[in-house]
Amino acid sequence: MQTRLTGLDRPFDIAVLTTGDELLNGELADTNTGTIAAILSQYGYRLRCSLSVPDQEKEIEAALRYLSGHAQAVIVTGGLGSTGDDLTARAAARATGQQLAINEEALEMVRAWFKKRNRQMEPSNERQALLPLEAEPLQNPLGTAPGFRLRHKNCQLFFLPGVPSEMKAMFNQAVLPALQELHPPEAARQQRLFKLFGLPEPKVDALIPYSQLPQGVDVAFALDYPLVLVKLRADGDDATQRLDQAETILLEVLGEHIMARDEQTPEEVVGKLLIEAGLSLSLAESCTGGLVASMLTSQPGASAFLERGAVTYADSAKQDWLQVPLPILQQHGAVSEQCARAMAIGLRRATGTDLALSITGIAGPDGGTEEKPVGTVFMALANPEGVHVKGYRFNGDRHKVQRMSAVMALEWLRRFALRYAKD
Amino acid sequence: MQTRLTGLDRPFDIAVLTTGDELLNGELADTNTGTIAAILSQYGYRLRCSLSVPDQEKEIEAALRYLSGHAQAVIVTGGLGSTGDDLTARAAARATGQQLAINEEALEMVRAWFKKRNRQMEPSNERQALLPLEAEPLQNPLGTAPGFRLRHKNCQLFFLPGVPSEMKAMFNQAVLPALQELHPPEAARQQRLFKLFGLPEPKVDALIPYSQLPQGVDVAFALDYPLVLVKLRADGDDATQRLDQAETILLEVLGEHIMARDEQTPEEVVGKLLIEAGLSLSLAESCTGGLVASMLTSQPGASAFLERGAVTYADSAKQDWLQVPLPILQQHGAVSEQCARAMAIGLRRATGTDLALSITGIAGPDGGTEEKPVGTVFMALANPEGVHVKGYRFNGDRHKVQRMSAVMALEWLRRFALRYAKD
């Protein structure tokens, strides 16, 4: 048994227990652990482990006993509903050797929820106020089930609904403040995320001068095809300064490849750059089928730069709306440098926008030939200075070819807008 | 201690242990448990619990001891890489009281991987062949790390990489056959998934005649906005017959709302129906910004029915390509029944396709007025019989309004193609 240590030296292990058959039969993937883990990490706490068990009272009880013996705080999700499958309160009562009783405060919470919505409370909803005797109920701002809090030996147990939105709201509202009171967190972990395009992961890795980075700055990679994500992380009071230094170094070696950072998306950044540069845009997409337009318009404010898009799938559409000359289609085909150029020029003439971008290619799985295999894509950007055209050979299936082409198009726009703004 | 029972009466509990700091600091959500659970469920096995622990030898060792005492099979993922963080083999050796040794068969697997790709093996890769003495290596078809298998007391332990694609491949290739040999599964669980549109979940629930369904058919709901997913499940030898009966009943009461089933997507179904009906299509999207075109073209074969799409974001585009009369835009605005109708008619005239569908609305968050709030969307379908027009008030944020509008558009096309094919 450990001697009682003071302040931050006391162990403070946190565990998560997620309950529900649907988590163990392939129906649903557990997202609650990730949500809790991210918030804890942000506030300087660490999660020791996470356990998923089915809707069986004995399993939940055994898990509660096990975890409360190995952690100082346990966050339990699920099993607080009004149906027969909802057994968490009973398991909690058994695990802590208490009776179940109708908790008046919890009952009032349930009643108030229905009253506020002018809805009838079902008798089964009363069950949601049946809690272990010493439980302290926790308000649920988004659902009928109150959560509750229990102390058992050296462990604080928090019981939350399994519904992710309800769980998250109550975690932030009730559990996090309670944890902060129980055990002031160590200095929070800080992080910065960079989303790179144009280099494969091993190349990005090779370009990072690890020996020059400040001590204690952690570099992690992830993939979000075709973007390579680089995450810088640091703990402690001077985390900000150390991350600033690391960021400066990263920007020096990789800055031109950074399409977006943290929560930003590439399309969001491109939209902002086009607006700042005062550039209007029209799009003619063939193999990407509207994906670029859709990405740019998923952001509010697209109307400030996007005049129109065309999904010129059939040759007739290319001729009709973009004035692509028939001889070009006959001699070079729709998937050619010549066609891409003609599409962009015709689009710009038709719309009068500053920029007109065209994409034509073979996304697959059909349509490839030896000369022009699946993944052959041509892009053209008609702009105030002329027309830029380029051909690519992309790898992967239809989804990957479309996605790569769309992000490449965004990269063209990003780089053009940056250059244009400088001039 | 339980008496040894014969055949299917022996308990056969399976547990999953996922290892990795990234699972417990919010960086990554665990998908391996869900993958394994789905396969086990499909083959009639049940998962007893799933535990996530960090990259710490002591934690992994303790977890292995705990789980091997509570289950007859444990599947462990992660920690088999070549870096210093990869501690699973060591933890396994300690938990089972064995030495670590270079396993020649595993080493040969690692060597062969690099040889086949004409790549240099790093010294650190040798570490991936350092396994517990009694381990039996498992081939990794997609990566450098061999898995391995160990028996400890009454428990079979399987160690797989954490990379989801590698884990899944090796699970199917090596673990599942081993489980089937150890313990013939109970009759596999069968399931059928239906994707419904047009009714909220409580209404779907209210329409299902539960008392008429065959015994043992389980009904589960999930949401994939704006689709309501209904899953029918049954176990046992006659599962097929009982599911057939349940499906017939479901189709009677809800059939017209079923957009797709099992792995199909609504856009896939719509594409097939349009091709079968011999109908060509053009699209004019304003607030959905290319989303409908993008969804339809994500499927191969779209060129068989999609002639073109337009993202007529600015009024100038509506006038220019769709011949929408200026007076309509001036008197009623771009977001109006009149404009939607004019867009569809103009599009059909310009393209000559059988069907021309237009969508114009306010996706938000800006642009709403009291008369036309965010979520106001008009759709029109110009077709051989005339023009169908309708206005909607959709709820939710920009993403939801765009998604709901796009799926509603697909539903229009689906229903038209079905009616047209009947005539």
Side-chain angles (χ1 to χ4, degrees), chain B residues 265-292:
Chain B
T265 59
E267 51 266 40
E268 187 184 331
V269 171
V270 168
K272 287 201 169 90
L273 287 173
L274 289 172
I275 292 173
E276 276 166 25
L279 291 166
S280 58
L281 171 69
S282 52
L283 298 164
E285 304 182 57
S286 198
C287 61
T288 44
L291 182 54
V292 183

Side-chain angles (χ1 to χ4, degrees), chain A residues 64-299:
Chain A
L64 285 171
R65 289 185 193 278
Y66 175 72
L67 292 174
S68 59
H70 287 79
Q72 283 70 52
V74 181
I75 300 138
V76 187
T77 72
L80 300 182
S82 59
T83 75
D85 288 341
D86 294 296
L87 303 158
T88 294
R90 285 178 54 162
R94 291 174 71 101
T96 57
Q98 299 177 26
Q99 303 274 15
L100 277 173
I102 292 280
N103 183 299
E104 284 305 325
E105 198 185 338
L107 187 58
E108 193 40 49
M109 289 176 181
V110 179
R111 283 205 187 107
W113 166 269
F114 284 94
K115 189 153 182 249
K116 188 168 166 194
R117 284 158 185 74
N118 275 330
R119 278 166 52 188
Q120 191 71 5
M121 178 169 145
E122 304 281 334
S124 56
N125 289 113
E126 261 200 36
R127 194 184 314 177
Q128 296 180 292
L130 194 61
L131 306 181
L133 202 55
E134 292 164 30
E136 181 196 316
L138 304 172
Q139 178 77 37
N140 182 344
L142 296 175
T144 65
F148 62 96
R149 180 180 172 174
L150 261 188
R151 192 195 150 127
H152 181 58
K153 299 183 182 168
N154 253 356
C155 183
Q156 295 283 342
L157 299 155
F158 299 90
F159 296 84
L160 305 177
V163 177
S165 55
E166 293 175 35
M167 192 291 298
K168 187 175 183 180
M170 293 169 74
F171 185 87
N172 280 318
Q173 179 173 283
V175 179
L176 186 59
L179 293 176
Q180 288 169 317
E181 217 177 315
L182 283 165
H183 192 97
E186 295 156 40
R189 159 165 286 193
Q190 288 192 41
Q191 68 180 37
R192 300 189 193 174
L193 178 67
F194 301 91
K195 304 179 184 179
L196 282 65
F197 177 77
L199 294 173
E201 186 183 333
K203 192 77 177 91
V204 176
D205 184 47
L207 282 171
I208 293 176
Y210 287 99
S211 55
Q212 288 177 37
L213 294 178
Q215 275 273 20
V217 171
D218 183 39
V219 181
F221 284 85
L223 278 175
D224 180 14
Y225 189 85
L227 302 171
V228 172
L229 310 184
V230 176
K231 194 181 292 193
L232 301 178
R233 287 183 310 209
D235 296 318
D237 297 313
D238 60 342
T240 310
Q241 291 92 297
R242 283 183 287 128
L243 283 174
D244 284 344
Q245 290 174 33
E247 181 176 329
T248 305
I249 293 169
L250 201 81
L251 289 175
E252 267 170 38
V253 292
L254 290 164
E256 57 166 326
H257 294 280
I258 296 173
M259 283 197 89
R261 54 174 300 170
D262 304 308
E263 294 79 36
Q264 290 175 337
T265 58
E267 52 266 40
E268 187 183 331
V269 171
V270 168
K272 287 199 169 89
L273 288 172
L274 290 172
I275 292 172
E276 277 166 25
L279 291 165
S280 57
L281 171 69
S282 50
L283 298 164
E285 303 182 56
S286 197
C287 61
T288 43
L291 182 55
V292 183
S294 177
M295 288 170 85
L296 286 170
T297 55
S298 67
Q299 302 299 315

Side-chain angles (χ1 to χ4, degrees), chain A residues 299-319:
Chain A
Q299 302 299 315
S303 52
F305 63 90
L306 183 70
E307 198 268 348
R308 80 184 75 170
V311 179
T312 46
Y313 224 60
D315 284 1
S316 40
K318 295 178 180 75
Q319 294 178 261

Side-chain angles (χ1 to χ4, degrees), chain B residues 46-341:
Chain B
R46 296 240 167 84
L47 195 51
R48 183 171 181 189
C49 68
S50 174
L51 179 59
S52 281
V53 296
D55 291 314
Q56 286 165 37
E57 205 183 310
K58 285 214 160 106
E59 294 287 348
I60 301 172
E61 188 192 332
L64 285 171
R65 289 186 193 276
Y66 174 72
L67 292 174
S68 59
H70 286 79
Q72 283 69 53
V74 181
I75 300 137
V76 187
T77 73
L80 301 182
S82 60
T83 75
D85 287 341
D86 294 297
L87 303 159
T88 294
R90 285 178 54 163
R94 292 174 70 103
T96 57
Q98 298 177 30
Q99 303 274 16
L100 277 172
I102 291 280
N103 183 300
E104 285 303 328
E105 199 186 335
L107 187 58
E108 192 41 48
M109 288 177 182
V110 180
R111 282 202 190 110
W113 167 272
F114 283 94
K115 190 156 181 243
K116 187 169 167 191
R117 283 156 187 76
N118 274 332
R119 278 166 51 188
Q120 191 73 4
M121 179 170 144
E122 305 281 332
S124 56
N125 288 113
E126 261 200 37
R127 192 184 315 175
Q128 296 182 292
L130 194 61
L131 305 181
L133 202 55
E134 293 165 29
E136 180 196 315
L138 303 172
Q139 179 77 38
N140 183 344
L142 295 177
T144 66
F148 63 96
R149 178 179 173 175
L150 260 188
R151 191 193 151 130
H152 182 59
K153 299 183 183 166
N154 253 358
C155 184
Q156 296 283 341
L157 300 155
F158 300 90
F159 296 83
L160 305 177
V163 177
S165 55
E166 295 176 34
M167 192 291 297
K168 186 176 183 179
M170 293 170 74
F171 185 88
N172 280 319
Q173 179 174 284
V175 180
L176 186 58
L179 292 176
Q180 288 169 317
E181 219 177 313
L182 284 164
H183 192 94
E186 296 154 40
R189 158 164 289 193
Q190 285 191 43
Q191 67 180 38
R192 299 188 193 174
L193 177 68
F194 300 90
K195 304 179 183 179
L196 282 65
F197 178 77
L199 294 173
E201 186 183 332
K203 191 77 176 98
V204 175
D205 184 46
L207 282 172
I208 295 176
Y210 287 99
S211 55
Q212 289 178 36
L213 295 178
Q215 275 274 21
V217 171
D218 182 39
V219 182
F221 285 83
L223 278 174
D224 180 13
Y225 189 85
L227 302 171
V228 172
L229 310 184
V230 177
K231 194 181 291 193
L232 301 178
R233 284 181 314 207
D235 297 320
D237 297 313
D238 59 342
T240 309
Q241 290 92 298
R242 284 184 284 126
L243 282 174
D244 284 345
Q245 290 173 34
E247 180 176 331
T248 304
I249 294 168
L250 200 80
L251 289 174
E252 266 171 36
V253 291
L254 290 164
E256 57 165 326
H257 294 280
I258 296 173
M259 283 197 90
R261 55 174 299 170
D262 303 309
E263 294 79 35
Q264 289 176 337
T265 59
E267 51 266 40
E268 187 184 331
V269 171
V270 168
K272 287 201 169 90
L273 287 173
L274 289 172
I275 292 173
E276 276 166 25
L279 291 166
S280 58
L281 171 69
S282 52
L283 298 164
E285 304 182 57
S286 198
C287 61
T288 44
L291 182 54
V292 183
S294 178
M295 288 170 84
L296 287 170
T297 57
S298 67
Q299 301 300 316
S303 53
F305 62 90
L306 184 70
E307 198 266 349
R308 79 184 75 169
V311 179
T312 46
Y313 224 58
D315 283 2
S316 42
K318 295 178 180 75
Q319 294 177 264
D320 191 16
W321 278 351
L322 307 178
Q323 315 298 315
V324 173
L326 183 59
I328 284 187
L329 292 167
Q330 286 170 332
Q331 285 168 41
H332 305 286
V335 178
S336 62
E337 197 181 295
Q338 295 85 346
C339 184
R341 181 191 302 268

